[in-house]
């Protein structure tokens, strides 16, 4: 039915099957939509956030998604600036995933602030000292860059491409994509860093504070590193998932392997620094705050297992796996390593947000716990639904994978 | 140009793009942001002329000076007055929230009303004041015509000394009913002790500020005991970081209350054994010669064994105490260590100005007579009576009596009938009112002997121990009239509502705040125009009397209530030693100690009255210290360790019945001599201790209103979440008790007594004595609005009451209970 | 004396005597009444109820009958620094919309409700939990008429913004206006005190200019019993506490074993 607008020379399921497969996404979106309306209309009392848990599920989602979306700028950086040609075969997917992650995060942030209508005050009454302002500026600009990067891919749709001006614009945009990739990379380096900085500068919260070790908030660099270490892996995982679902090979192995290798190197580098950072924290920040390492892992569900999980199981292990070509080249192990890698970073973002706030700083204060409401889940999962939907639509109607035709000759 | 689709789209896109270049989108976003700053549902308080009105808080008997900040005619903030003698500046959280009671329409009666729904449903209909008073006067006249004026009764929560209490009692007397019942208060026991040991029925006057050792028997100095504004200020003085000598505070209590926690020493006898502890301290004081011998020898009676005129030998206080209350014996009773009792006695005996204070407080409406006598005896032993830093003895407040009552035949006949509560009979010779007897009398008879009940400033259905009994009794009464400004539990049971103004809307007096050491008269005034169609109950009574007519009307000849107040205040003037001005740099406790000789700062009555109306107070700082030969008005003209009045009451009764029966009627478990002296006897609880192994003790908090009015919603912010969580209140229990009952923090549990059961959650704390289950008073309202209604449980619902010996008042403090895990 | 950044002159601060404080809660009530803080049906949800000054109950942790409770009233500390020498309190330096500021002339940390976007970053930054978010609209139902007691000095807040103790800044304004009207440049010590200070029935709270040697607070903070909350975080709070009790002082900060210095031999 929609065959005229499908990319040429590739096989797609029928529209009906496609829509049926997408039903869960629509359901998530409806759930999220309802939640969003409630939150915007009645206020944030619809959530279980509190004066203790000022940041909660949504910020965890945001930070996780932005870290995972780092594949976009980093692949762009590698493709256009470092000129790794093989990555051209995966850059579109990376850009789309990035776009989804960032736009989803922005939407969620819009609901997360108490006065969404005043959101623009961040830009208008900007406080240059605030890491969150830096984040907002960079993410805002980078989202525009992502749109600019996404638009030519949309323009490559068979029907749109028939329109001459559109084709022209698309072509010209392609020509200067390196400029945007560079801008994007620059912006992204900053906001990934500022996101880490946001927590690193919480000097009053010894769990997150990171000054005094090497350089001013050290988390700035750790966040950049961890994002670029897991972003490419997430891109690989998405591609692998698409390949699995469509039952087709979409990206040549060399592209995947390049990303995996770089991811491995970065993760290794990161995890070494993270271990040093943790030791520095344990012997620097923590005692200075009058606490001991164990003070942070005594309360509620947060135990040392979190550290073991984050650093060892989801850090050192995938790093080693990705560094060893034999393992990396095995499809299954690659996916396992990718999942571990991404999980580790998500745990990292989670602890920085939730544990930071949950551990009382005043000795006489007590530990509080937090469980998200269905509205919070609704909005969080709606971003997932939105992501899958946009990704699926893109895959169906746009030539996301330039080598798809070549790798899957229709006989 | 033809509008084709393509053109249209072009136009649209172009338009949208174009608008971005105009200031319009900016203007729009800005406007929207401004709108969020002025959401129509966020109130904008109107500005206006700022004024400040001085008055007095009467949400409790404390009488703190307050200043109400107003914007035009709106009261916007209550602040403490630093130019007021009682409370130099500070007030309590309840007083601070007063405006939420004034302005909360859903808890107030906005007009006179009569009941239209079923009783207790709270469905009323507005009527006019005239109609309301006609209904009531018609009913009273009918009772009088039928020759049963005594079927009119009143429950009055106004303090005994207040003019309003006189008005209510006078109304009943004029109509011809002896059944004027006042709400019990700790003051009842205090004045009874003073009557028996010192001969005057005045309140206790503690010179706390000048004292250097306070031995408090459960008095919640920080929980709202006495006049809270004043007591808390004294606390501040005692603890000043710069003070050279700090007072030592000793708290005797079975719970780590704020006072106990903050005291210098915290002593934890088993509840109900305080009298024994006091006598044990007396023992040590006597034995270790820490007494004031000259005071005892010259101005006390009954210390030594003595012989009465009929030649009989009587035991004295000294030998009783030495025989029966050695530290070892007392240790056995109280569960304390003998050494601790000794060191406590030394701490007290060696102080320069030690005061032992009583008033095991709220929750108790009254105290235990013998316990209070024992405590006051400690003050006598150290001779710290009528001295600076001691317990002062005052004459009655110099207020004039009201003109003589006019009584017609009907009323004279009615007044001859016996009071339903039997107060003043040989069973309860020293007691004025016994509300629980009153309620029992109604419950016992087939038909309620009370036809019409008037309720003034009291909410017995909520505040009396054993609320179920009270509720049942009230249900039996055919017609109830409430004068409450608030929709409290008792008012909801009423048939007719004649709502009073709140304290911020009316003029009324506050006589002698509890515990204050100098004579004091406070006057509230209307600081805002009455918000609703309410009327000062004083005026309503005058109008009612006029409607009843005859001798009743003649007894209320005043044009309005202010004239009644003036009539009484005229005595303050003729007394010739008061002050209506106050300089905060010379606090009264200093003036009094220094021997103030200042002449009155007014020269005519009118001048004095106007000054009281603006300033809100009258006091006198002149005090005749020590003159012991004239202050004690007991039969012996001395301080009596051995009360001759109790003795003569026993002797008189013993002419009619055997002595054993007399003592039994009085509730005394000991012999006739000890019945005249403070002593300890074990509470013979008839309850099966295996069935109900624990004791429940109610307690009060300063930030949770108990008396007067509802709790202001603001105070809900100050409650901890282990006191109230959602709508459930908590019981404090010791970890040991928790373990024995297999309970964890936050568990739900049923507390069951013979009187009933309530469900609460458990707060496990080391501040609780093992074996005791603590419940805060003030929760569990079934009336008012969402800020109060249904929040927590009312311990009064399960209190089983006993009778205190001699006074006949309620023993409420040890209800045997058990815990049932839910 | 060490020079404080930015402070040209006044530095308003508070001293709370914990030995005096009885835990009565009048300061909390006074603050809510003064500053138009609304009350919701359920205030027992302590994570969401708004209490600019919050009373914490602390315990010495001993067994009955040696247990003792004490109380810690905690307003906003009006920090001077962020803890690492930054010239703004932690909450100010992080605010995205410049909705909260440290006034260098008074030391007061302000909060501009109409500027705040409700991102709550400041809340995460404040180690004292002194900041409160309006999870709901202010609760003044029409049928109750409670809005009649609202003071025009302080604007009621809209949903979705942060609020916190302002050191009753409007009282400073009022005092200054008064002084100005009378042709004075300076205000007297007693002319500007906060609502909680004024209300405390035991005079546990003292307020004034920490920099002014004539003010009582200046003298009190020199006492050996004076300390601040979480002092080691170095946020330089302008709220000081007094206590002679070691167990109370110990609970004011995190101490590693052996670090705490006792004042007295007793507890
Ligand atoms: N804010 C506020 N202040 C008030 C009032 C109010 O409603 N609100 N009401 C006023 C009135 S009417 C009164 S009567 C006073 C009363 O004021 P208080 O006399 O202070 O009454 P409570 O707070 O109940 O304090 C009594 C203490 O005695 C303890 N206690 C209970 N049973 C026993 C016992 O058997 N032995 C011993 N040793 N201790 C025991 C309880 O644990 C409790 O802590 O407060 C007045 N002040
Ligand atoms: N649950 C519980 N029970 C208690 C206590 C407790 O703390 N909690 N405390 C005990 C103690 S210590 C005492 S003294 C008694 C007190 O017992 P009550 O004297 O019954 O005290 P309140 O409950 O304050 O009842 C007073 C009622 O008077 C009304 N009222 C207020 N102002 C006025 C006014 O100006 N005029 C008139 N006519 N009415 C007015 C109010 O509606 C209020 O409900 O309760 C005892 N029982
Ligand atoms: S102590 Fe009593 S009189 Fe004083 S403010 Fe509180 S309620 Fe009012
Ligand atoms: S008002 Fe004073 S005594 Fe009461 S809690 Fe506050 S600081 Fe403490
Ligand atoms: S206490 Fe918190 S809110 Fe107040 S100034 Fe310090 S960091 Fe900011
Ligand atoms: S919540 Fe308001 S005050 Fe706090 S950081 Fe965000 S904008 Fe600033
Ligand atoms: S200083 Fe003012 S705003 Fe701050 S807690 Fe005290 S009363 Fe509230
Ligand atoms: Mo009372």
């Amino acid at each position: 039915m929609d065959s005229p607008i499908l990319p040429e020379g590739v096989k797609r399921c029928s529209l009906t099957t496609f829509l049926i497969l997408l039903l869960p996404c629509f359901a998530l979106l409806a759930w999220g939509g309802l939640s969003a309306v409630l939150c915007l209309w009645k206020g944030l009392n619809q959530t279980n956030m509190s004066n203790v848990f000022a940041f909660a599920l949504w910020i965890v989602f945001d930070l996780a998604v932005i870290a995972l979306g780092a594949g976009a700028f980093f692949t762009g950086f590698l493709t256009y600036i470092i000129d790794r040609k093989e990555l051209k075969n995966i850059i579109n997917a990376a850009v789309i995933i990035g776009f989804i992650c960032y736009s989803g995060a922005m939407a969620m942030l819009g609901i997360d602030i108490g006065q969404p209508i005043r959101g623009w005050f961040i830009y208008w009454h900007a406080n240059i000292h605030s890491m969150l302002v830096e984040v907002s500026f960079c993410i805002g600009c980078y989202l525009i860059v992502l749109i600019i990067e996404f638009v030519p891919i949309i323009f490559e749709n068979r029907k749109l491409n028939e329109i001459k001006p559109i084709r022209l614009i698309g072509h010209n945009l392609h020509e200067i994509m390196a400029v945007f990739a560079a801008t994007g990379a620059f912006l992204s380096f900053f906001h990934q860093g500022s996101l880490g900085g946001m927590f690193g500068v919480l000097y009053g919260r010894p769990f997150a504070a990171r000054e005094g070790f090497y350089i001013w908030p050290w988390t700035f660099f750790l966040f950049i590193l961890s994002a670029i270490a897991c972003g490419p892996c997430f891109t690989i995982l998405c591609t692998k998932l698409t390949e699995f679902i469509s039952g087709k090979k979409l990206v040549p192995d060399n592209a995947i392997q390049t990303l995996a290798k770089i991811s491995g190197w970065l993760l290794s580098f990161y995890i070494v620094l993270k271990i040093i950072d943790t030791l520095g924290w344990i012997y620097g920040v923590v005692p200075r705050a009058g606490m001991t390492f164990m003070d942070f892992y005594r309360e509620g569900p947060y135990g040392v297992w979190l550290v073991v999980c984050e650093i060892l199981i989801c850090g050192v292990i995938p790093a080693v796996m990705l560094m060893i070509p034999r393992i990396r080249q095995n499809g299954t192990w690659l996916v396992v390593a990718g999942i571990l890698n991404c999980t580790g970073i998500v745990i990292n973002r989670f602890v920085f947000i939730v544990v930071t706030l949950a551990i009382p700083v005043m000795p006489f204060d007590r530990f509080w716990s937090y469980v998200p409401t269905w509205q919070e889940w609704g909005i969080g999962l709606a971003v997932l639904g939105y992501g899958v939907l946009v990704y699926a639509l893109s895959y169906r109607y746009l030539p996301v994978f330039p080598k798809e035709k070549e790798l899957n000759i229709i006989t | 140009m033809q509008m084709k689709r393509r053109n249209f789209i072009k136009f649209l896109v172009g338009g949208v793009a174009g608008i971005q270049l105009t200031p319009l989108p900016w203007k729009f976003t800005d406007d929207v942001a401004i709108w969020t700053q002025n959401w129509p549902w966020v109130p904008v308080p109107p500005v206006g002329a700022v004024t400040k009105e001085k008055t007095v808080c009467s949400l409790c008997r404390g009488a703190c000076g307050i200043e109400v900040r107003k914007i035009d005619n709106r009261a916007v903030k209550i602040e403490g007055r630093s130019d007021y003698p009682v409370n130099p500046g500070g007030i309590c959280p309840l007083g601070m929230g007063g405006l939420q009671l004034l302005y909360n329409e859903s808890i107030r009666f906005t007009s006179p009303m009569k009941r239209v729904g079923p009783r207790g449903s709270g469905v009323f209909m507005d009527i006019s004041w005239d109609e309301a008073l006609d209904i009531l006067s018609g009913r009273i006249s009918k009772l009088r015509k039928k020759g049963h004026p005594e079927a009119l009764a009143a429950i009055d929560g106004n303090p005994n000394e207040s003019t309003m209490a006189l008005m209510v009692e006078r109304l009943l007397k004029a109509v011809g009913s002896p059944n004027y019942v006042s709400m019990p208060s700790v003051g009842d026991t205090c004045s009874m002790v003073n009557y028996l040991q010192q001969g005057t029925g005045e309140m206790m006057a503690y010179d706390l500020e000048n004292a250097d050792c306070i031995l408090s028997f459960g008095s919640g100095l920080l929980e709202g005991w006495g006049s809270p504004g004043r007591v808390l200020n004294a606390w501040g003085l005692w603890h000043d970081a710069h003070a050279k000598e700090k007072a030592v505070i000793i708290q005797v209590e079975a719970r780590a209350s704020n006072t106990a926690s903050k005291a210098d020493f915290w002593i934890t006898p088993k509840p109900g054994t305080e009298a024994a502890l006091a006598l044990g301290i007396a023992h040590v004081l006597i034995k270790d010669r820490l007494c004031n011998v000259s005071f005892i020898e010259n101005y006390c009676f009954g210390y030594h064994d003595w012989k009465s005129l009929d030649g009989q030998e009587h035991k004295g206080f000294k030998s009783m105490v030495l025989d029966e209350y050695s530290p070892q014996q007392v240790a056995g009773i109280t569960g304390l260590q003998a050494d601790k009792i000794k060191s406590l006695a030394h701490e007290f005996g060696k102080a320069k100005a030690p005061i032992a204070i009583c008033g095991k407080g709220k929750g108790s409406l009254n105290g235990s007579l013998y316990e209070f006598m024992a405590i006051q005896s400690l003050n006598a032993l150290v001779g710290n009576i009528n001295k600076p830093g001691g317990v002062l003895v005052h004459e009655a407040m110099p207020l004039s009596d009201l003109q003589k009552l006019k009584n017609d035949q009907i009323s004279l006949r009615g007044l001859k009938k016996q009071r339903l509560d039997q107060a003043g009979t040989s069973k309860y010779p020293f007691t004025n009112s016994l509300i629980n007897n009153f309620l029992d009398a109604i419950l016992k008879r087939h038909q309620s002997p009370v036809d019409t009940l008037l309720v003034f400033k009291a909410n017995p259905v909520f505040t009396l121990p054993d609320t179920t009994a009270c509720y049942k009794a009230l249900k039996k009464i055919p017609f109830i009239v409430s004068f409450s400004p608030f929709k409290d539990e008792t008012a909801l049971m009423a048939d007719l509502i004649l709502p009073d103004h709140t304290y911020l809307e009316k003029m009324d007096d506050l006589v002698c705040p509890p515990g204050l050491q100098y004579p004091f008269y406070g006057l509230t005034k209307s600081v805002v125009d009455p918000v609703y169609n309410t009327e000062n109950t004083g005026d309503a009574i005058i109008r009612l009397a006029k409607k009843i007519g005859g001798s009743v009307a003649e007894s209320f000849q005043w044009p309005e209530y202010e004239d009644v107040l003036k009539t009484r205040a005229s005595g303050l003037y003729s007394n010739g030693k008061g002050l209506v001005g106050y300089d905060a740099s010379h606090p009264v406790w200093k003036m009094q100690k220094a021997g103030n000789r200042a002449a009155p700062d007014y020269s005519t009555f009118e001048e004095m009255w106007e000054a009281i109306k603006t300033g809100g107070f009258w006091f006198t700082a002149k005090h005749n210290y020590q003159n012991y030969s004239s202050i004690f008005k007991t039969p012996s003209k001395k301080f009596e360790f051995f009360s001759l009045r109790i003795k003569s009451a026993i002797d008189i009764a013993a002419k009619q019945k055997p002595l054993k029966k007399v003592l039994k009627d009085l509730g005394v478990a000991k012999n006739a001599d000890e019945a005249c002296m403070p002593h300890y006897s074990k509470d013979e609880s008839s309850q099966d201790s295996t069935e109900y192994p624990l004791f429940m003790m109610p307690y009060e908090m300063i930030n949770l209103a108990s008396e007067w009015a509802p709790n202001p919603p603001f105070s809900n912010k100050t409650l901890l979440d282990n006191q109230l969580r959602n709508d459930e209140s908590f019981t404090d229990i010791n970890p040991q008790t928790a373990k024995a009952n297999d309970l964890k923090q936050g568990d739900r549990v049923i507390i069951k007594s013979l009187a009933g059961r309530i469900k609460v959650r458990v707060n496990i704390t080391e501040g609780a004595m093992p074996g005791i289950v603590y419940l805060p008073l003030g929760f569990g309202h079934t009336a008012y609005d969402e800020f109060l209604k249904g929040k927590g449980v009312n311990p009064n619902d399960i209190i089983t009451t006993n009778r205190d010996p001699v006074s006949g008042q309620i023993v409420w403090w040890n209800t045997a209970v058990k815990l049932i895990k839910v | 004396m060490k020079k404080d950044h930015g402070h040209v002159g006044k530095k308003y601060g508070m001293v709370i005597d914990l030995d005096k404080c009885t835990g009565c809660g009048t300061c909390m009530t006074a603050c809510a009444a003064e500053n138009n803080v609304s009350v919701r049906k359920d205030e027992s949800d302590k994570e969401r109820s708004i209490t600019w000054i919050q009373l914490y109950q602390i315990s010495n942790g001993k067994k009955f009958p040696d247990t003792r409770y004490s109380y810690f009233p905690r307003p906003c500390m009006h920090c001077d620094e962020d803890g690492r020498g930054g010239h703004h309190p932690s909450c100010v330096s992080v605010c995205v919309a410049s909705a909260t500021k440290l006034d260098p002339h008074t030391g007061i940390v302000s909060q501009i409700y109409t500027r705040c976007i409700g991102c709550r970053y400041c809340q995460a930054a404040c180690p004292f939990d002194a900041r409160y978010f309006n999870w709901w609209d202010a609760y003044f139902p029409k049928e109750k008429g409670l809005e009649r007691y609202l003071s025009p000095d302080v604007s009621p807040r809209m949903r979705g913004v942060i609020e916190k103790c302002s050191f009753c800044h409007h009282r400073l304004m009022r005092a200054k206006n008064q002084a100005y009207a009378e042709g004075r440049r300076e205000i007297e010590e007693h002319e500007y005190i906060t609502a909680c200070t004024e209300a405390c029935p035991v005079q546990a709270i003292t307020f004034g200019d920490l920099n002014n040697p004539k003010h009582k607070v200046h003298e009190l903070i020199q006492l050996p019993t004076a300390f601040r909350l979480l002092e080691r975080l170095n946020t330089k709070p302008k709220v000081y506490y007094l206590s002679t009790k070691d167990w109370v002082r110990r609970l004011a900060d995190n101490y590693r074993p052996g670090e705490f210095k006792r004042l007295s031999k007793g507890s």
Side-chain angles (χ1 to χ4, degrees), chain B residues 169-218:
Chain B
E169 193 172 6
R170 187 179 177 87
L171 174 70
L172 281 248
K173 284 203 173 134
V175 168
S177 169
N179 289 315
Y180 167 78
V181 184
S182 52
M183 288 295 282
S185 85
V186 90
D188 297 345
T189 317
C190 289
S191 55
M192 201 180 297
V193 167
N194 278 345
Y195 177 72
L196 295 174
Q197 295 193 303
Q198 301 180 165
T200 66
E202 295 313 305
M203 293 288 284
M204 294 286 179
Y206 296 120
D207 192 8
L208 301 174
E209 289 84 345
N210 287 310
D212 65 354
C213 173
I214 310 291
L215 173 56
S216 147
F217 285 84

Side-chain angles (χ1 to χ4, degrees), chain B residues 32-65:
Chain B
V32 173
I34 289 172
W35 171 72
T36 67
Q37 295 166 12
N38 300 288
W39 274 339
W41 55 89
V42 178
V44 182
V47 290
V50 185
T51 49
K52 290 188 169 189
E53 300 264 8
K54 292 174 177 181
T55 185
V56 190
C57 175
S58 61
L59 283 177
C60 80
R61 294 178 191 193
C64 294

